[in-house]
Amino acid sequence: MTRSDARLQEASAWLDDMLPLVFSREGWGDVPAGTLTPASSDASFRRYFRWEGEGRSLILMDAPPPQENCRPFVEVAALLASAGVNVPRIHEQDLDRGFLLLSDLGRRTYLDVIDASNADALFADAIDSLIRFQRLPVAGLALPVYDRALLMRELALFPEWYVERHLGRSMNAAQRAAWDEVCELLVASALDQPQVVVHRDYMPRNLMVSDPNPGVLDFQDAVLGPVSYDATSLFKDAFLSWPEEQAQGWLRTYWEGARQAGIAVPERFEDFQRASDLMGVQRHLKVIGIFARICHRDGKPRYLADVPRFFAYLEGVLARRPELHVLGSLLNNLGMEIEA
């Protein structure tokens, strides 16, 4: 038996013990015969399984220690729920062993269904949910801070994993100086923004078509950080792209809604757009590095297929932000053929 099979057997045995407790507490009667099938997996060690029996379904999260820690998921779920955000309800938990039994928010993600005919409506709901948790008072929240050290660690993924490991190139002294200059600009812009609760992966793959809509997933890495971060990642997705004019229109819709809700976004949209652009560049570079790491460290090369999308995002920002000309020159010097 493989380690993976042994882990699933342990999780299944725990589930069998928990189901009678949940059914009794919820008044659902006796536990029917059910099936356990894979629901989804992601780039981490977490796995999700769907238990189904006689019209009921629950989600079993397997987050094996020490690679994963369920505690942030539990804590952030409670925080987001307090703001009226639709997140999975935690029916049972074993934090030491890394098992959670969750309510099932459905089978369809935004990524599965979104298209030109429904994007405006789906994003309107996503913006409303985003604003709900951005309105949470941040004073006293026990969340990590998106500070300089974290921002710099994320940026370092690009030269380490994409440039050096994936491309097999090393920066010379002049290129390293240019990279440091770019990092300082991006980090300064991020730290200058008002702080809110930041999901960090608020994008269609992590939003479920649900009632109320959307159901929000994968929030365990939430931090206190820049107000533009989640809106930027929502419209500059890792797995699908929108025309720039349309993405900027949704960004403006978010900005208008955030202002009306009392969130501390800049008074002028142009100032918020610049903050979003620079925040986006930090995220795009980070994600390119992460996708290269997932390929070379974790043996999952499929993510590299979406790297060109992020270079296209970078080109769009470089075209309207002359202050980033150093980045465009650096990427071209490293052979990435960026139009800037």
Side-chain angles (χ1 to χ4, degrees):
M1 179 178 293
T2 66
R3 177 181 298 182
S4 175
D5 290 338
R7 177 72 186 179
L8 179 55
Q9 186 179 56
E10 183 184 359
S12 298
W14 179 80
L15 174 65
D16 289 341
D17 290 339
M18 295 302 107
L19 285 174
L21 301 179
V22 174
F23 270 69
S24 174
R25 185 169 58 244
E26 299 298 323
W28 293 343
D30 295 332
V31 179
T35 59
L36 189 65
T37 57
S40 68
S41 62
D42 56 30
S44 72
F45 291 92
R46 287 186 303 274
R47 298 184 299 172
Y48 300 87
F49 299 90
R50 176 173 282 108
W51 179 90
E52 293 180 280
E54 294 186 4
R56 297 200 182 276
S57 63
L58 296 165
I59 297 296
L60 170 64
M61 179 198 287
D62 170 24
Q67 294 92 348
E68 300 291 336
N69 179 7
C70 287
R71 287 173 174 81
F73 184 97
V74 172
E75 293 165 359
V76 178
L79 178 65
L80 297 183
S82 74
V85 177
N86 183 17
V87 295
R89 178 184 172 191
I90 300 171
H91 287 288
E92 293 291 342
Q93 62 188 50
D94 187 330
L95 300 181
D96 292 332
R97 289 199 288 170
F99 299 137
L100 296 178
L101 188 56
L102 311 171
S103 62
D104 188 353
L105 297 186
R107 295 175 177 269
R108 297 185 301 157
T109 70
Y110 269 34
L111 187 60
D112 294 330
V113 304
I114 198 167
D115 58 29
S117 69
N118 61 21
D120 286 340
L122 289 176
F123 278 141
D125 288 344
I127 288 169
D128 177 71
S129 182
L130 171 58
I131 290 173
R132 282 177 182 271
F133 66 78
Q134 286 188 333
R135 294 180 65 184
L136 286 166
V138 300
L141 288 184
L143 289 177
V145 176
Y146 223 149
D147 58 11
R148 176 183 177 84
L150 178 53
L151 289 160
M152 292 295 286
R153 284 199 303 273
E154 291 183 340
L155 283 165
L157 295 169
F158 179 77
E160 177 182 357
W161 285 98
Y162 190 76
V163 177
E164 297 178 13
R165 184 66 180 271
H166 185 65
L167 299 181
R169 298 170 185 158
S170 298
M171 292 188 189
N172 59 35
Q175 290 168 334
R176 178 57 66 175
W179 174 252
D180 291 343
E181 180 180 341
V182 169
C183 289
E184 287 298 327
L185 174 64
L186 299 178
V187 171
S189 175
L191 295 178
D192 192 47
Q193 297 183 44
Q195 286 196 335
V196 294
V197 174
V198 175
H199 180 292
R200 289 182 77 189
D201 263 328
Y202 198 72
M203 57 186 187
R205 189 181 70 167
N206 293 327
L207 301 177
M208 305 299 296
V209 179
S210 184
D211 184 20
N213 195 54
V216 179
L217 304 177
D218 206 24
F219 42 73
Q220 62 278 344
D221 294 325
V223 294
L224 299 180
V227 68
S228 73
Y229 192 96
D230 281 338
T232 302
S233 61
L234 180 60
F235 308 127
K236 295 295 178 73
D237 184 50
F239 304 107
L240 79 165
S241 302
W242 302 96
E244 183 66 14
E245 182 177 353
Q246 196 170 20
Q248 292 301 313
W250 289 324
L251 189 70
R252 182 182 285 273
T253 298
Y254 158 77
W255 169 78
E256 291 171 347
R259 287 192 68 206
Q260 293 172 5
I263 295 169
V265 292
E267 291 187 5
R268 298 193 323 136
F269 175 70
E270 292 75 15
D271 295 331
F272 179 72
Q273 184 186 42
R274 180 181 184 275
S276 172
D277 279 347
L278 297 187
M279 192 74 259
V281 169
Q282 191 272 349
R283 177 175 168 83
H284 305 332
L285 292 167
K286 171 189 75 172
V287 173
I288 292 171
I290 288 174
F291 283 2
R293 183 177 67 182
I294 292 171
C295 172
H296 295 288
R297 187 192 69 182
D298 303 335
K300 299 178 180 179
R302 68 183 184 274
Y303 289 90
L304 285 177
D306 287 289
V307 163
R309 187 186 319 280
F310 288 95
F311 280 114
Y313 291 154
L314 289 171
E315 286 183 346
V317 174
L318 292 171
R320 62 175 172 262
R321 298 294 168 201
E323 60 266 47
L324 289 171
H325 73 278
V326 173
L327 176 59
S329 298
L330 172 62
L331 296 179
N332 281 320
N333 287 338
L334 291 168
M336 298 178 203
E337 300 181 1
I338 293 292
E339 293 184 13

